[in-house]
Amino acid sequence: MAAILIVEDEPAIQELISYRLQQAEHETFCAKDAEQAIKIVNDVLPDLVLLDWMLPGMSGIELAKTLRRVPRTKNIPIIMLTARVEESDKVSGLEVGADDYITKPFSPRELIARIKAVLRRRSPEVADDVVEINGLKLDPVTHRVTVNDNEIILGPTEFRLLYFLMTHPERVHSRPQLLDGVWGDHIFVEDRTVDVHIRRLRKILEPVGKDGLVQTVRGSGYRLSVGRA
Ligand code: CA
């Protein structure tokens, strides 16, 4: 389940998309122009933006450029919606940083499949797939974490932390990046909170021999890796 912002000036299309996405268990926010979209993005950082190319005022392309310029929004996946079919338009859409491109009319089923593909690629933590690393298995739907089919019990924060690390493995995450990814947007917690929860997570993983997966990278942050630190 993802929070999806739909930027579309035609009410009928906006409503239809929103309805179908909600049926697919997504949370939706709607904007009829770029201005409204920016307001929503500032309030609720969405997991993905569906962006109509032709909008009154600032165009979808301009809005995509704006989102890509700002550090807070530059990584939000964007799918452009458009009635245009020319190849050159597709290229300029992708050049401003759109992740995918759908030409109207499209079927809701296709749209949902594309959204899932983009999320899986860009934000695996909202795609709801079971992740497994080195015998450690996490199911985001049932919230079950197992090692060789033995369930281990995690607190909610440790669960989200582990989920984030497992869906972004082998990368070093700074404390602020972990706060952003795990604690969420607009929540101000101290950096050392991260250390506390990392310690708890390791403690839970220790009896099953998996604490070595969560590694400290001196001076940088933490990483989940199957290789030794
Ligand atoms: Ca339009």
Side-chain angles (χ1 to χ4, degrees):
M1 193 198 82
I4 299 177
L5 170 61
I6 303 157
V7 192
E8 166 63 67
D9 60 312
E10 277 173 64
I13 300 178
Q14 186 193 88
E15 237 168 80
L16 176 72
I17 295 175
S18 177
Y19 175 69
R20 298 309 284 264
L21 292 186
Q22 284 173 13
Q23 278 187 322
E25 307 280 310
H26 293 298
E27 185 184 4
T28 59
F29 301 88
C30 296
K32 62 176 178 7
D33 55 31
E35 205 183 18
Q36 225 179 41
I38 289 167
K39 254 190 217 128
I40 294 171
V41 166
N42 287 338
D43 286 345
V44 193
L45 195 63
D47 296 310
L48 184 138
V49 179
L50 288 179
L51 184 51
D52 183 27
W53 181 297
M54 299 290 277
L55 292 169
M58 188 196 271
S59 72
I61 287 284
E62 282 306 312
L63 177 57
K65 278 190 199 161
T66 306
L67 293 175
R68 286 291 176 256
R69 259 199 308 270
V70 179
R72 183 167 168 265
T73 57
K74 73 177 189 323
N75 292 319
I76 302 178
I78 298 173
I79 298 177
M80 299 288 306
L81 308 174
T82 181
R84 300 186 182 204
V85 287
E86 284 174 42
E87 199 62 18
S88 62
D89 293 333
K90 179 170 178 171
V91 170
S92 48
L94 296 176
E95 265 172 3
V96 295
D99 293 85
D100 202 354
Y101 193 98
I102 299 184
T103 307
K104 293 178 194 170
F106 49 80
S107 73
R109 191 188 295 250
E110 186 191 358
L111 177 65
I112 287 161
R114 298 279 196 100
I115 288 172
K116 184 145 192 170
V118 167
L119 287 176
R120 186 169 288 152
R121 195 167 70 236
R122 292 284 307 275
S123 323
E125 74 278 10
V126 289
D128 277 358
D129 291 328
V130 172
V131 275
E132 181 167 8
I133 292 176
N134 210 24
L136 181 65
K137 198 162 154 186
L138 182 150
D139 185 335
V141 177
T142 60
H143 273 229
R144 274 167 64 95
V145 180
T146 54
V147 175
N148 304 326
D149 293 328
N150 296 314
E151 187 166 1
I152 50 177
I153 306 299
L154 297 169
T157 305
E158 282 70 43
F159 178 86
R160 287 201 307 274
L161 180 60
L162 181 63
Y163 191 19
F164 183 83
L165 291 171
M166 286 181 78
T167 48
H168 303 82
E170 306 296 337
R171 266 182 266 171
V172 181
H173 307 284
S174 68
R175 288 169 181 82
Q177 280 167 344
L178 286 173
L179 285 175
D180 248 12
V182 178
W183 277 259
D185 199 55
H186 286 291
I187 292 173
F188 299 94
V189 221
E190 279 184 69
D191 282 10
R192 77 165 56 187
T193 307
V194 175
D195 303 327
V196 171
H197 289 278
I198 287 276
R199 263 204 302 279
R200 281 191 202 158
L201 179 59
R202 280 197 184 123
K203 213 167 178 174
I204 295 164
L205 294 176
E206 201 181 346
V208 291
K210 298 295 176 194
D211 53 308
L213 284 173
V214 182
Q215 303 172 352
T216 303
V217 181
R218 211 168 280 277
S220 307
Y222 298 99
R223 132 182 97 201
L224 188 132
S225 173
V226 291
R228 299 301 313 174

